Coordinates of all heavy atoms in Angstrom, one line a residue:
A57 N 66.9 19.0 -75.4 CA 66.4 20.4 -75.6 C 66.0 20.5 -77.1 O 66.4 19.7 -78.0 CB 67.4 21.4 -75.3
T58 N 65.2 21.5 -77.4 CA 64.8 21.7 -78.8 C 65.4 23.1 -79.2 O 66.2 23.6 -78.6 CB 63.2 21.8 -78.9 OG1 62.8 22.7 -77.9 CG2 62.6 20.4 -78.6
G59 N 64.9 23.6 -80.4 CA 65.4 24.8 -80.9 C 66.4 24.6 -82.0 O 66.7 23.4 -82.3
G60 N 66.9 25.7 -82.6 CA 67.8 25.5 -83.7 C 69.2 25.0 -83.3 O 69.8 24.2 -84.0
S61 N 69.6 25.4 -82.1 CA 71.0 25.1 -81.7 C 71.3 23.6 -81.7 O 72.4 23.2 -82.1 CB 71.3 25.6 -80.3 OG 70.9 27.0 -80.3
P62 N 70.5 22.7 -81.2 CA 70.9 21.3 -81.1 C 70.8 20.5 -82.4 O 71.2 19.3 -82.4 CB 70.0 20.7 -80.0 CG 68.9 21.6 -79.8 CD 69.2 22.9 -80.5
L88 N 62.8 19.2 -72.0 CA 62.7 20.3 -71.1 C 61.3 20.9 -71.1 O 60.8 21.4 -70.1 CB 63.6 21.4 -71.6 CG 65.1 21.3 -71.3 CD1 65.9 22.3 -72.0 CD2 65.3 21.4 -69.8
D89 N 60.7 21.0 -72.3 CA 59.5 21.8 -72.4 C 58.6 21.5 -73.6 O 58.9 20.7 -74.5 CB 59.9 23.3 -72.5 CG 61.0 23.6 -73.4 OD1 61.3 22.7 -74.2 OD2 61.6 24.7 -73.4
Y91 N 55.0 23.4 -75.9 CA 54.0 24.4 -76.0 C 52.6 23.9 -75.6 O 52.3 22.8 -75.8 CB 53.8 24.8 -77.5 CG 55.0 25.6 -78.1 CD1 55.7 25.1 -79.1 CD2 55.3 26.9 -77.6 CE1 56.8 25.8 -79.7 CE2 56.4 27.6 -78.2 CZ 57.1 27.0 -79.2 OH 58.1 27.8 -79.8
Y102 N 57.1 20.4 -79.7 CA 58.5 19.9 -79.4 C 58.5 18.4 -79.4 O 59.6 17.8 -79.7 CB 58.9 20.4 -78.0 CG 59.3 21.9 -78.1 CD1 59.5 22.7 -76.9 CD2 59.5 22.6 -79.3 CE1 59.9 24.0 -77.0 CE2 59.9 23.9 -79.4 CZ 60.1 24.6 -78.2 OH 60.5 25.9 -78.3
L153 N 71.2 22.1 -72.8 CA 70.5 23.4 -72.8 C 70.9 24.2 -74.0 O 72.1 24.3 -74.3 CB 70.7 24.1 -71.6 CG 70.3 23.6 -70.2 CD1 70.8 24.5 -69.1 CD2 68.8 23.5 -70.2
G154 N 69.9 24.9 -74.6 CA 70.2 26.1 -75.4 C 70.0 27.3 -74.6 O 69.7 27.2 -73.4
I155 N 70.2 28.5 -75.1 CA 69.9 29.7 -74.3 C 69.2 30.7 -75.2 O 69.5 30.8 -76.4 CB 71.3 30.3 -73.8 CG1 71.0 31.6 -73.0 CG2 72.3 30.4 -74.9 CD1 72.3 32.1 -72.3
G156 N 68.2 31.3 -74.7 CA 67.4 32.3 -75.4 C 68.2 33.6 -75.5 O 69.1 33.8 -74.7
N157 N 67.9 34.4 -76.5 CA 68.5 35.7 -76.6 C 68.4 36.5 -75.4 O 69.3 37.3 -75.1 CB 67.9 36.5 -77.8 CG 68.0 35.8 -79.1 OD1 68.9 35.0 -79.3 ND2 67.0 36.1 -80.0
H160 N 66.9 33.1 -71.4 CA 66.0 32.1 -70.8 C 66.6 30.7 -71.1 O 67.4 30.5 -72.0 CB 64.6 32.2 -71.4 CG 64.4 31.7 -72.8 ND1 63.7 32.5 -73.7 CD2 64.7 30.6 -73.4 CE1 63.6 31.8 -74.8 NE2 64.2 30.6 -74.7
I161 N 66.3 29.8 -70.2 CA 66.7 28.4 -70.4 C 65.4 27.5 -70.3 O 64.6 27.8 -69.4 CB 67.8 27.9 -69.5 CG1 67.6 28.3 -68.0 CG2 69.2 28.4 -70.0 CD1 68.7 27.8 -67.1
A162 N 65.3 26.6 -71.2 CA 64.0 25.9 -71.4 C 63.0 27.1 -71.7 O 63.3 27.9 -72.5 CB 63.6 25.0 -70.3
F163 N 61.9 27.1 -70.9 CA 61.0 28.3 -71.0 C 61.0 29.1 -69.7 O 60.0 29.7 -69.4 CB 59.6 27.9 -71.5 CG 59.5 27.9 -73.0 CD1 58.9 26.8 -73.6 CD2 59.9 28.9 -73.8 CE1 58.7 26.7 -75.0 CE2 59.8 28.9 -75.2 CZ 59.2 27.8 -75.8
E165 N 61.7 32.1 -68.3 CA 61.9 33.5 -68.8 C 62.4 34.4 -67.7 O 62.2 34.1 -66.5 CB 60.6 34.0 -69.3 CG 60.0 33.3 -70.5 CD 60.6 33.6 -71.8 OE1 61.8 34.1 -71.9 OE2 59.9 33.5 -72.9
L179 N 55.1 33.1 -72.3 CA 56.3 33.4 -73.0 C 56.4 34.9 -73.2 O 55.4 35.6 -73.3 CB 56.3 32.8 -74.4 CG 56.0 31.3 -74.4 CD1 56.2 30.7 -75.8 CD2 56.9 30.5 -73.4
T183 N 60.6 36.1 -76.8 CA 60.7 34.7 -77.1 C 59.7 34.4 -78.2 O 60.0 33.6 -79.1 CB 60.4 33.9 -75.8 OG1 61.4 34.2 -74.9 CG2 60.4 32.4 -76.1
N187 N 60.8 32.8 -81.7 CA 60.3 31.5 -82.1 C 59.3 31.6 -83.3 O 59.0 30.6 -83.9 CB 59.7 30.8 -81.0 CG 60.7 30.3 -80.0 OD1 61.9 30.6 -80.2 ND2 60.3 29.6 -78.9
R189 N 60.0 32.4 -86.2 CA 60.6 32.0 -87.4 C 60.3 30.5 -87.8 O 60.4 30.1 -88.9 CB 62.2 32.1 -87.3 CG 62.8 31.2 -86.3 CD 64.2 31.7 -85.9 NE 64.4 31.4 -84.5 CZ 65.3 30.5 -84.0 NH1 66.1 29.9 -84.8 NH2 65.4 30.3 -82.7
F190 N 59.8 29.8 -86.8 CA 59.5 28.4 -87.1 C 58.0 28.2 -87.5 O 57.6 27.2 -87.9 CB 59.7 27.5 -85.8 CG 61.1 27.5 -85.4 CD1 61.5 28.0 -84.2 CD2 62.1 26.9 -86.2 CE1 62.9 28.0 -83.8 CE2 63.5 26.9 -85.8 CZ 63.8 27.4 -84.6
I218 N 74.8 24.9 -75.2 CA 75.3 25.2 -76.5 C 74.7 26.5 -77.0 O 73.5 26.8 -76.8 CB 75.1 24.0 -77.5 CG1 73.6 23.7 -77.6 CG2 75.9 22.8 -77.2 CD1 73.3 22.6 -78.7
S220 N 75.3 29.4 -80.5 CA 76.0 29.7 -81.7 C 75.5 31.0 -82.3 O 74.3 31.4 -82.2 CB 75.7 28.6 -82.7 OG 75.7 29.0 -84.0
K224 N 73.7 35.5 -79.8 CA 73.7 34.9 -78.4 C 74.8 35.5 -77.5 O 74.9 35.2 -76.4 CB 73.8 33.4 -78.5 CG 72.7 32.7 -79.2 CD 71.5 32.6 -78.3 CE 70.2 32.1 -79.1 NZ 70.3 30.7 -79.4
Ligands
LIG303 C1 63.4 28.1 -77.2 C2 63.4 26.9 -76.3 C3 64.7 26.7 -75.6 C4 65.9 27.0 -76.5 C5 65.9 28.5 -76.9 C6 66.9 28.8 -77.9 O1 62.4 29.0 -76.9 N1 62.4 26.7 -75.4 O2 64.8 25.4 -75.0 O3 67.1 26.7 -75.9 O4 64.6 28.9 -77.2 O5 66.6 28.4 -79.2 P1 67.5 28.4 -80.4 O6 68.5 27.2 -80.2 O7 66.6 28.1 -81.6 O8 68.2 29.7 -80.5

Side-chain angles (χ1 to χ4, degrees):
T58 54
S61 307
L88 287 168
D89 45 14
Y91 289 117
Y102 285 169
L153 295 176
I155 177 171
N157 300 333
H160 76 230
I161 46 180
F163 271 133
E165 298 279 25
L179 307 186
T183 299
N187 289 3
R189 69 200 140 114
F190 300 115
I218 54 175
S220 147
K224 297 285 170 74

